[in-house]
Every structure is written in C-alpha cells, then in structure tokens.
Amino acid sequence: YEANELFTPTAKGRLFSVFRHPIDRAVSMFYYVQIADWEPTYAPELKGWTLEQYAESDEVENNWLTRALTNKQGDVDLTEDDLNLAMQILNRKFLVGLMTEMETTVERFEKLFRWTYHVNPPNQEKCRENIMMSGSNQNTSVGQKREKAEEGSNAWNLLAMQNQYDLQIFAFIENLFKQQAEFVKDIPDGFRNIDTTCCKCSPATFPPEGFTCPMAIMN
C-alpha cells in the first residue's frame, strides 16, 4: 500500500510478488512466531499450542493479505468492497507469482523486467539453480515438530474462517497468474542469458547503459 507513493502518472511501474496459499501461510506463521525472537511478534508461549488452539485464539492473523492490500489493519471489519478493491489492485498493479510455480514465476519476472546477468554469468546461473532447488530463508528450526493442517480437518476449517477473503483473493491470483503468461509470450526462454556481461571477468565487460559492479563481488 505504501508503495503507491512511488508511482505517478508519468512514472509508472508494476509491483511483483510471490504468493502462497493462505492456509499454508497461516500454518507457517504459527511456527515462525515461536522461534523468531528478532520479531516484535515473537511468541514463545505458543510452543505448547496445537494448530487448533492457535486458530481459535486472538493470536491468529485475520485475512492478512486483504488487509495489507487495502491498508485496513487491526480489528477493522472487512467487506466485499475491500475484497473487490484488493483484486483490482492486484490486477492493475502486480505481476503475480506462485510459490508452487517458482521456476515459471522467476522466469516470468526475468523476462518482464529484462533482468540479465552482469557480474559473472556462469556463477550467477549456478547460484540461481541452487536457490531454485533448495530455497532460501526457510522457516525451519532443529527439533521443531510441525503439525500439518489437512484440508477438511478442524484446524484447516478454523484457519479458513479467519482467511475467507484471502482464500478468494488467492483463487483470483491463481487465475491471474495464468492470464499474465501473455505478458511475456514473445520473449524467449532463458532471457537472463541474453546479452550478458561480466564485470568480474578479466577483461571486464559492461552493458551499454553502464553497470556498477558490487564491491563485495570485486573483493
């Protein structure tokens, strides 16, 4: 929502984000706040709770995505108007990605924003492959036992009640993800490897528009 200030009628842009299923996010958040002592939402007292207890408590988030998109935080009630506004914002301003479709998502981002390699292409491609295979910044903790919310279970249904609008928005996002394939249909696969340069190579090469090689890479 705050990003609106970045754009003007003469300086337009498109936001991009990767979305996950609201129930998966809620379950992940339940376990995350138990271990994230660097967060203001840190809640170690939840370590002895079940998912059902969390879903029935005041600790559980309510339609987080809808509230973030419409800037309706706290205990303010949401309406169908908020749901429609959130969908309109996503449709007009976002290139959406899906956590369940990461390869397609990242490739689409690279194509639309014309991202290519400029530091060390072979190494950057290996780094990309590693991240795509194993992920990064995973919400895991040694010894932490995790209960899953199976669809149709009481825990799932309770979390669904707290995320009724977000579930509808996610269904909208899944459909939008399919539609937005049109944005890059004429851009070749592997665009990131087209017209690459290498500022770490000897001799170094740079794109015509210029490029500042990151100092951490240069050292």
Side-chain angles (χ1 to χ4, degrees), residues 82-175:
D82 297 313
L83 174 65
N84 292 331
L85 175 59
M87 291 179 178
Q88 182 183 37
I89 290 170
L90 287 165
N91 187 51
R92 292 182 55 202
K93 299 181 180 296
F94 276 82
L95 178 66
V96 301
L98 296 173
M99 282 194 67
T100 54
E101 299 284 351
M102 282 304 297
E103 179 61 44
T104 302
T105 291
V106 174
E107 177 96 13
R108 189 173 297 174
F109 289 173
E110 291 165 345
K111 290 179 179 180
L112 187 73
F113 296 111
R114 305 299 197 270
W115 292 339
T116 58
Y117 296 140
H118 295 302
V119 177
N120 187 320
N123 287 354
Q124 288 178 278
E125 184 68 10
K126 289 179 182 178
C127 180
R128 182 188 187 278
E129 290 175 1
N130 290 337
I131 292 177
M132 295 300 292
M133 288 178 61
S134 57
S136 176
N137 193 30
Q138 296 183 12
N139 177 12
T140 58
S141 178
V142 176
Q144 188 183 40
K145 295 182 179 179
R146 296 194 167 205
E147 176 188 356
K148 293 184 179 180
E150 301 293 342
E151 187 168 1
S153 67
N154 194 42
W156 176 284
N157 293 335
L158 288 168
L159 290 171
M161 287 179 61
Q162 293 288 347
N163 291 279
Q164 294 181 42
Y165 288 120
D166 278 11
L167 285 167
Q168 293 179 69
I169 287 179
F170 187 72
F172 176 81
I173 289 171
E174 289 183 305
N175 186 55

Side-chain angles (χ1 to χ4, degrees), residues 50-101:
T50 65
L51 268 176
E52 287 189 26
Q53 288 176 301
Y54 175 66
E56 291 178 313
S57 74
D58 293 334
E59 299 292 331
V60 68
E61 290 181 329
N62 174 269
N63 293 296
W64 176 85
L65 180 57
T66 309
R67 293 182 182 281
L69 288 168
T70 60
N71 200 33
K72 274 202 168 182
Q73 307 297 336
D75 296 327
V76 179
D77 289 336
L78 295 173
T79 68
E80 290 293 320
D81 288 341
D82 297 313
L83 174 65
N84 292 331
L85 175 59
M87 291 179 178
Q88 182 183 37
I89 290 170
L90 287 165
N91 187 51
R92 292 182 55 202
K93 299 181 180 296
F94 276 82
L95 178 66
V96 301
L98 296 173
M99 282 194 67
T100 54
E101 299 284 351

